[in-house]
Amino acid sequence: MTDATIIDGKAFSEALVTRIAEKASALSAKIGRPPALAVVLVGNDPASGVYVRNKIERTTAAGMTSIEHRLEADTSQDSLLALIDDLNNDDAVDGILVQLPLPDQIDEAAVINAITPDKDVDGFHVVNAGRLATGQDALVPCTPYGCLLLLRDHLGSLSGLNAVVIGRSNIVGKPMAQLLLQESCTVTIAHSRTRDLQDVCAAADIVVAAVGRPEMITGDFIKPGATVIDVGINRVPAPERGEGKFRLTGDVDYTSAVAKAGAITPVPGGVGPMTIACLLRNTLVAAARRFDAGPMEI
Ligand code: NDP
């Protein structure tokens, strides 16, 4: 069997961002200002700091406005909720993103559900989760939406395909399963209590791995020719690169899976870049809806 097609999420996301930037420019002309994303970071978690900086840079590069709010690690829940309330009521803000995780004194669900659903560009609010589950217009979580765009681009119609999503988190696994169901896939959601995971996966035309366990899904789990989407981003020691060095790896064992799959996303360079592209897409969609500027399908 020949090696799989490598699904290039980096190239796909760059083309997507170019289209988003064009639409953002057209929308700016219509509404008199660029679409605007407010990003809230609480505390000094280094990884969160990197993610936020990246999001801000990419938002600006796409011709949108980025409004940054940095709060101290000991910020109270009430102060954060007061900021969210201000942003909800600020006409100059189209999208609100609160970087997770939040410090222990803050209830994440309370914060997420305080964001007005129409500005919830992460798509985590229960109203958006409910809209997605019932087939209504929703702001959809960025990572699973990015996976869907890659799958559609590679496979065309997904109708009737067997899809296994490994992981049932609210931010990846569950919305991914909903999106695949909307595409008329036959969907199985696997998790830590699933029995015979290997057999479950071996029947799948599409495997989406969102487990958070480095290289757990090996080629033995993959049906020959299946499409494999690796959501995992794991930082593992890489002594071969020098003392104390790390490398990024997915939830899929790339070397064995690439020999079985028909197509596969690499890590890095697969799903990762799609997540930020879809955040920009959601910001554009949220702005267009707020100003009744017509459909913004990209
Ligand atoms: P969570 O930890 O919230 O969820 C992990 C899921 O995997 C859970 O549902 C868990 O099951 C399941 N699981 C754990 N162990 C096993 C096992 N042995 N067999 C089967 N299922 C198992 O993670 P997230 O959904 O937030 O993230 C998943 C991965 O995706 C991580 O690597 C994360 O870094 C990455 N990620 C990447 C993003 C990107 O932009 N590319 C964005 C977001 C996440 P149970 O519910 O039973 O505990």
Side-chain angles (χ1 to χ4, degrees):
M1 174 128 199
T2 53
D3 275 3
T5 301
I6 311 307
I7 299 177
D8 187 344
K10 188 164 179 287
F12 190 94
S13 69
E14 281 165 4
L16 180 63
V17 171
T18 301
R19 294 202 300 279
I20 292 168
E22 286 164 8
K23 297 223 173 188
S25 164
L27 184 62
S28 304
K30 241 181 191 171
I31 67 178
R33 62 160 178 80
L37 171 66
V39 180
V40 181
L41 175 63
V42 186
N44 310 307
D45 178 60
S48 294
V50 172
Y51 290 141
V52 162
R53 202 169 56 236
N54 212 351
K55 286 170 185 172
I56 289 170
E57 280 172 15
R58 300 286 298 277
T59 305
T60 313
M64 304 194 211
T65 302
S66 172
I67 306 154
E68 193 179 349
H69 292 269
R70 283 180 182 269
L71 306 180
E72 296 298 328
D74 62 357
T75 297
S76 69
Q77 180 165 317
D78 284 350
S79 312
L80 180 54
L81 291 175
L83 172 62
I84 304 274
D85 193 44
D86 287 347
L87 296 173
N88 283 341
N89 292 307
D90 188 342
D91 242 2
V93 170
D94 302 303
I96 303 169
L97 179 148
V98 179
Q99 184 65 40
L100 303 179
L102 290 167
D104 289 348
Q105 74 275 15
I106 299 176
D107 175 356
E108 276 183 7
V111 171
I112 289 166
N113 290 321
I115 299 171
T116 193
D118 294 341
K119 293 188 180 185
D120 167 40
V121 285
D122 259 338
F124 296 161
H125 193 290
V126 286
V127 167
N128 279 314
R131 284 179 185 159
L132 175 62
T134 53
Q136 300 175 56
D137 248 359
L139 286 166
V140 177
C142 303
T143 300
Y145 193 71
C147 295
L148 178 68
L149 293 182
L150 292 179
L151 282 167
R152 276 194 195 141
D153 182 61
H154 180 66
L155 291 169
S157 169
L158 309 184
S159 179
L161 297 180
N162 285 331
V164 172
V165 179
I166 316 168
R168 55 176 164 179
S169 71
N170 290 336
I171 64 171
V172 187
K174 282 180 196 152
M176 186 75 247
Q178 294 289 358
L179 288 168
L180 291 168
L181 196 56
Q182 271 183 14
E183 298 290 313
S184 298
C185 289
T186 302
V187 183
T188 304
I189 307 177
H191 45 76
S192 66
R193 307 295 173 88
T194 297
R195 293 184 190 163
D196 304 322
L197 181 63
Q198 188 170 324
D199 290 347
V200 171
C201 291
D205 305 302
I206 295 170
V207 174
V208 180
V211 195
R213 291 181 182 263
E215 297 168 2
M216 187 187 115
I217 308 302
T218 65
D220 293 339
F221 288 61
I222 308 299
K223 173 166 122 177
T227 302
V228 178
I229 303 290
D230 189 353
V231 181
I233 303 181
N234 307 289
R235 206 164 158 262
V236 296
E240 72 280 5
R241 294 185 180 178
E243 208 186 309
K245 296 282 182 198
F246 289 83
R247 67 183 170 91
L248 289 185
T249 189
D251 292 340
V252 175
D253 174 41
Y254 188 81
T255 309
S256 60
V258 81
K260 286 286 279 297
I264 187 167
T265 58
V267 178
V271 174
M274 293 300 293
T275 298
I276 292 192
C278 291
L279 171 67
L280 303 179
R281 180 251 179 208
N282 278 357
T283 304
L284 179 67
V285 167
R289 285 189 192 152
R290 290 187 64 239
F291 286 89
D292 233 349
M296 208 34 88
E297 264 334 298
I298 298 158

